[in-house]
Amino acid sequence: MRNEVRRLRAARGLSQQALGVALGVSRQTVNAIEQDRYDPSLPLAIRIARHFGLTVEEIFHVDDA
Amino acid sequence: MRNEVRRLRAARGLSQQALGVALGVSRQTVNAIEQDRYDPSLPLAIRIARHFGLTVEEIFHVDDA
DNA sequence: CATGGATGTAAAGTAAGCTTTACATCTCCA
DNA sequence: TGGAGATGTAAAGCTTACTTTACATCCATG
């Protein structure tokens, strides 16, 4: 799964740390998601989408199906 | 997190088994999600939403935030 | 130069998502 | 009546999501 998190975060001038705090996760988690090392849980994905005022599907793109 | 999976599945006359097959998961997984025993992973949530022609946010509702 | 902020990454541990196998209950229908 | 399909649930096992701690690198700026 690819995602737009890095782009959205950078566009707002936030650090990974700051975004992590806003989302209630560690900066390592933000980093891992941005680099596609793993997918966020569903509740975290929904919080991310809300944070950026977008839908989950606008931020997270399934490669295969 | 609450969700509309049972309602949507029943409206289409599908068994948990049939939905599981369509989604690529076991019927126990469908059952557990319908009963809020745990949240689906993000990729599974996206597949569910697609299956029903809805968005993730239309199907999965975060209680708290 | 050196200090600090931002990022990348790794290891160890816990919790959550999902599987298979198995059993129990209920309902419907031949 | 009894067999089948649908559902609920549990245990054991594997993988993934996330944490904390820790260290390394890269820039920018005093």
Side-chain angles (χ1 to χ4, degrees), chain B residues 20-52:
Chain B
V21 169
L23 296 170
V25 295
S26 69
R27 75 170 183 86
Q28 285 85 346
T29 294
V30 173
N31 186 276
I33 292 168
E34 287 190 355
Q35 296 187 70
D36 289 326
R37 301 214 293 111
Y38 52 74
D39 299 325
S41 66
L42 177 57
L44 178 52
I46 291 176
R47 270 181 280 151
I48 292 172
R50 281 204 190 167
H51 183 84
F52 291 116

Side-chain angles (χ1 to χ4, degrees), chain A residues 2-65:
Chain A
R2 300 215 187 120
N3 69 75
E4 306 294 328
V5 174
R6 171 156 308 187
R7 193 176 62 69
L8 294 165
R9 174 180 64 81
R12 279 155 185 78
L14 291 171
S15 67
Q16 293 179 345
Q17 171 80 0
L19 180 57
V21 169
L23 296 170
V25 295
S26 68
R27 76 171 182 83
Q28 286 82 347
T29 293
V30 173
N31 186 276
I33 292 167
E34 288 189 354
Q35 296 188 69
D36 288 327
R37 301 215 293 114
Y38 52 72
D39 300 324
S41 66
L42 177 56
L44 178 52
I46 292 177
R47 269 181 281 148
I48 292 171
R50 281 205 190 166
H51 184 83
F52 291 116
L54 296 169
T55 65
V56 167
E57 281 90 346
E58 284 170 330
I59 299 182
F60 298 94
H61 317 296
V62 185
D63 298 319
D64 41 65

